[in-house]
Amino acid sequence: MSDAFPVVYLARHGETAWTISGQHTGATDLPLTARGEAEATQLAEPLAGLMFAAVFTSPLQRAVQTCELAGFGPVAEVEPDLVEWNYGTYEGRTSAEIRAERPDWQVFRDGCPGGESPEQVGSRADRVIRRVRAIGRGVLLFSSGHFLRVFAARWLGLEPGAGRYFLLGTASLSALGYEHDRSEPVIRLWNERPHERRADQGQVRGHEEKAWR
């Protein structure tokens, strides 16, 4: 893998009340929870020292807050195409509630009535990809889970629905780039969660301290 090509970092926003409840959160402009703020703050460490030609964020406050807490608020530009999937009539509903009416429903295949289809989200992702690739240097994006999963699929040249394979947790960091040349897009890092790693390290230290007592 070559380091000579630009890398696009993807940061998903931190926890909100609806990520806890599992409700679909598209245009509903929820703030981060206190835990979500802590998660977002911990994104600053792995991003420290990296150079970005541009930083873009979704206009939704959960992404903007995450961007600010990670230390990039002053240099970020709002990009409307980074907004989360429009869930239409499924906004605010859980998958279990939706499947009680439509047992075979899958957002990455079926989209949402009154909202966006996978192809429409894919078209937005394509516009962002074209903008990013035209910059030709490192870029950092702050957005939401389903959009970023479609973005990754389109970066690789896959159909938008292939985003179903790329699970993302809150306040996660991922990176897309290239291998031998720009005709070979790849995933370089996926779903790295600094706040989880720190918690795991704390548990290990706690066990070690108990073992030495």
Side-chain angles (χ1 to χ4, degrees):
M1 183 184 299
S2 172
D3 291 324
F5 301 112
V7 177
V8 180
Y9 282 84
L10 314 179
R12 185 190 172 194
H13 64 76
E15 180 191 85
T16 70
W18 282 12
T19 61
I20 298 171
S21 61
Q23 293 169 262
H24 284 81
T25 321
T28 303
D29 203 9
L30 297 179
L32 300 179
T33 63
R35 178 178 175 178
E37 291 177 354
E39 291 177 345
T41 299
Q42 290 180 46
L43 280 172
E45 183 178 343
L47 291 170
L50 297 177
M51 301 296 292
F52 298 106
V55 179
F56 299 111
T57 179
S58 159
L60 295 171
Q61 65 173 315
R62 56 190 183 270
V64 172
Q65 282 184 288
T66 301
C67 176
E68 291 172 346
L69 290 167
F72 293 90
V75 297
E77 176 183 343
V78 170
E79 169 50 70
D81 277 333
L82 287 174
V83 73
E84 178 61 302
W85 200 308
N86 181 345
Y87 298 117
T89 60
Y90 291 162
E91 180 76 9
R93 304 184 69 189
T94 66
S95 294
E97 290 171 341
I98 298 167
R99 287 175 181 151
E101 300 172 1
R102 295 180 60 185
D104 63 342
W105 176 77
Q106 297 178 23
V107 67
F108 287 103
R109 183 190 64 202
D110 305 318
C112 303
E116 289 181 299
S117 68
E119 291 72 27
Q120 288 172 315
V121 180
S123 292
R124 289 199 285 113
D126 287 346
R127 289 197 293 269
V128 178
I129 288 171
R130 285 195 294 270
R131 185 175 185 184
V132 165
R133 287 179 169 162
I135 292 171
R137 290 180 289 165
V139 173
L140 174 60
L141 307 178
F142 289 86
S143 186
S144 301
H146 278 166
F147 177 82
L148 290 176
R149 292 167 69 174
V150 173
F151 184 94
R154 294 303 299 144
W155 180 268
L156 298 174
L158 305 175
E159 63 177 356
R164 65 187 180 275
Y165 298 120
F166 306 125
L167 188 65
L168 281 176
T170 55
S172 59
L173 188 64
S174 303
L176 308 176
Y178 305 92
E179 190 170 6
H180 300 105
D181 58 47
R182 297 194 188 202
S183 70
E184 298 183 22
V186 296
I187 293 175
R188 298 189 57 162
L189 174 74
W190 194 255
N191 200 34
E192 175 71 15
R193 304 180 74 191
H195 57 283
E196 280 193 343
R197 184 175 67 245
R198 183 166 294 182
D200 290 342
Q201 289 171 346
Q203 290 176 358
V204 170
R205 284 195 296 271
H207 290 312
E208 290 174 345
E209 288 170 0
K210 289 178 181 178
W212 282 103
R213 286 175 183 169

